[in-house]
Amino acid sequence: MKDREQISEQVRKRYALASEGLDERGRRQLVAAEALALGWGGVQLVSKATGVARGTITLGLKELRGQVAPPPVGKSRRPGGGRKAIVAKDPEVLVALERLVEPSTRGDPESPLRWTCKSVRKLAAELCARGHQVSQEWVRRTLQALRYRLHANRKTREGGDHPDRDAQFAHINATASAFLAAGDPVISVDAKKKELVGAFKIPGREWTPVGQPEEVRVYDFPIKGLGRVTPYGVYDLAANAGWVSVGVDHDTAAFAVATSEHWWIQTGRGRYPAARRLLITADGGGSNGSRTKLWKRELQRLADATGLVISVCHFPPGTSKWNKIEHRLFAFISQNWRARPLVSDAVVLSLIAATTTSTGLTVESYLDTASYPTGIEVTDVELATLRIQRETFHGEWNYTILPQAAEEAGALQE
């Protein structure tokens, strides 16, 4: 008995040392050679010492004795060897898996996973409940083989396409090109999203010493005395320059037009001293929306105050991302203040004004502390007094506002 224990221990040690560098076929023939050398009872002893199944050792003996054809070169098993694939034993499992992954399109709208997270664990559990014996790992590998991947949401849908969407884009481009060719200013305007002022988390990452990330508040609630700010921007296409008014009150049409007025007084008229007209491209909604009456009334006020003939072209519904200001100004402001908490109005202004690009973008910032109350109504009677000339092509999107002073001057000359 003692001799068999010693032999078993020696076999175990030899197998542990030699098997690490061998493939399945090599390990099978190694234990078979040990059993063959021991003679009668060798299979049982080697199996107990190494943990290799007796059937595997027996197959190795047959290979050594030439009783079975060896596996092809480079293979550990003969064709057809090993456990049968799950799909071979259960052909319906693939169909069942795809129905769970896409229940609304694969004819299974009542799937219990219709409104839950489709993790591999839940998918495997549901398949098992339906009689398909699979593991989480099998589900993961199979989904990859079926060309499924983990994806985040992608913003691509712009809402219902207007039939004249492309035609309006062409109209905006043609109008802007004509203004620029004549040396007249073309500005793109819009409001950036509201930002909380204080030590709040800002998306993005910034280089800091290891283990010393910027510490910010856990909860995003406005701080009394700081509140929120609304950056409203003007992007000058010809100059590749931006102007941003940081408002501390409501984002209204009055605030939007006031920003354009500040830009013109502080920068625009000095940059375009001979200009008598201005083109504004704006989104179709929001404070500068095509249906906003206050927006038009305030533009009339601006035209009267400056003497400018103001033309406006709105982008079709659901296409705001094509507005130049989005990807030529706001995108770079967001990059510049990534991971930088906006702890004060001064910090907001500084980060906006410090925004530059390799193509020469410059930005000016201004803190607008004026009050812009909401709920101001403009009646149809008041709207009718405005000097609005609507174009024949979508006059609700494309129109020009003339200064009232010019009309009065013409009446006096008559």
Side-chain angles (χ1 to χ4, degrees):
M1 177 65 70
K2 188 175 180 180
D3 290 342
R4 286 183 64 85
E5 289 179 355
Q6 291 176 344
I7 294 171
S8 178
E9 181 62 20
Q10 291 170 358
V11 169
R12 186 190 65 77
K13 288 182 178 180
R14 284 196 296 267
Y15 179 76
L17 290 172
S19 64
E20 244 181 71
L22 299 176
D23 59 11
E24 182 182 338
R25 179 184 181 182
R27 290 193 296 272
R28 183 171 64 240
Q29 295 188 353
L30 171 64
V31 291
E34 289 281 5
L36 188 62
L38 290 172
W40 186 86
V43 171
Q44 183 177 358
L45 187 148
V46 172
S47 176
K48 186 176 180 180
T50 61
V52 178
R54 295 176 62 178
T56 301
I57 300 174
T58 301
L59 176 59
L61 287 170
K62 291 180 179 180
E63 290 175 352
L64 293 177
R65 293 167 177 163
Q67 296 174 337
V68 296
V73 176
K75 300 290 184 180
S76 296
R77 301 176 180 177
R78 298 186 306 280
R83 183 184 300 173
K84 296 294 182 184
I86 290 177
V87 176
K89 296 187 293 183
D90 185 2
E92 297 297 320
V93 68
L94 290 181
V95 177
L97 175 59
E98 289 201 88
R99 280 179 175 170
L100 289 177
V101 176
E102 297 184 273
S104 59
T105 58
R106 299 283 178 165
D108 193 8
E110 300 302 320
S111 166
L113 297 182
R114 181 70 179 88
W115 306 110
T116 66
C117 171
K118 300 184 187 74
S119 66
V120 292
R121 177 179 60 81
K122 289 184 178 179
L123 290 169
E126 183 59 28
L127 286 172
C128 289
R130 297 186 180 199
H132 306 285
Q133 299 305 309
V134 297
S135 65
Q136 297 179 33
E137 178 62 19
W138 180 88
V139 171
R140 184 188 65 79
R141 287 188 282 104
T142 304
L143 286 175
Q144 290 180 342
L146 293 172
R147 299 188 63 78
Y148 284 90
R149 295 294 185 270
L150 290 171
H151 289 127
N153 299 151
R154 180 186 298 171
K155 289 185 176 181
T156 56
R157 297 185 181 182
E158 298 177 344
D161 288 347
H162 194 282
D164 291 332
R165 178 183 120 150
D166 291 343
Q168 177 65 4
F169 283 158
H171 178 81
I172 293 173
N173 183 64
T175 305
S177 297
F179 269 71
L180 293 172
D184 291 317
V186 178
I187 60 174
S188 170
V189 301
D190 197 12
K192 202 176 185 297
K193 77 177 184 71
K194 291 184 177 181
E195 300 287 353
L196 285 169
V197 180
F200 298 101
K201 180 179 175 63
I202 295 294
R205 295 185 294 176
E206 187 63 45
W207 291 102
T208 58
V210 174
Q212 299 180 34
E214 188 84 20
E215 295 185 353
V216 296
R217 289 172 173 262
V218 174
Y219 302 108
D220 293 344
F221 295 118
I223 300 174
K224 189 175 181 179
L226 295 178
R228 293 184 173 90
V229 293
T230 301
Y232 192 97
V234 173
Y235 175 71
D236 185 341
L237 272 67
N240 188 26
W243 171 280
V244 180
S245 286
V246 178
V248 297
D249 202 38
H250 302 290
D251 175 21
T252 66
F255 172 56
V257 175
T259 299
S260 296
E261 184 175 11
H262 291 314
W263 166 80
W264 176 253
I265 293 172
Q266 299 296 327
T267 301
R269 65 184 177 184
R271 187 176 291 157
Y272 304 97
R276 294 295 176 266
R277 59 178 186 163
L278 167 69
L279 175 62
I280 299 176
T281 64
D283 292 350
S287 58
N288 46 231
S290 60
R291 296 183 178 181
T292 306
K293 296 178 183 179
L294 183 60
W295 161 256
K296 295 180 177 66
R297 192 192 76 176
E298 289 299 304
L299 285 177
Q300 180 70 71
R301 183 191 60 78
L302 179 60
D304 296 344
T306 61
L308 290 170
V309 175
I310 301 176
S311 296
V312 181
C313 290
H314 290 278
F315 283 85
T319 61
S320 61
K321 71 177 182 180
W322 300 107
N323 201 350
K324 296 290 185 184
I325 194 171
E326 296 290 346
H327 47 87
R328 291 194 181 179
L329 178 60
F330 287 164
F332 296 109
I333 291 175
S334 296
Q335 288 179 22
N336 194 51
W337 71 25
R338 65 187 180 193
R340 302 284 294 275
L342 308 176
V343 296
S344 67
D345 295 341
V347 169
V348 176
L349 294 170
S350 298
L351 289 171
I352 290 174
T355 302
T356 59
T357 66
S358 59
T359 57
L361 173 70
T362 58
V363 187
E364 296 178 76
S365 59
Y366 168 80
L367 183 64
D368 189 342
T369 58
S371 176
Y372 296 100
T374 59
I376 296 176
E377 294 187 9
V378 178
T379 66
D380 291 339
V381 174
E382 188 177 3
L383 190 66
T385 65
L386 307 183
R387 293 193 68 195
I388 302 178
Q389 292 182 349
R390 299 186 183 276
E391 298 190 24
T392 54
F393 177 73
H394 281 286
E396 76 279 15
W397 294 343
N398 308 296
Y399 49 87
T400 297
I401 297 180
L402 305 174
Q404 297 281 11
E407 182 181 38
E408 294 172 2
L412 290 173
Q413 290 176 3
E414 292 177 1

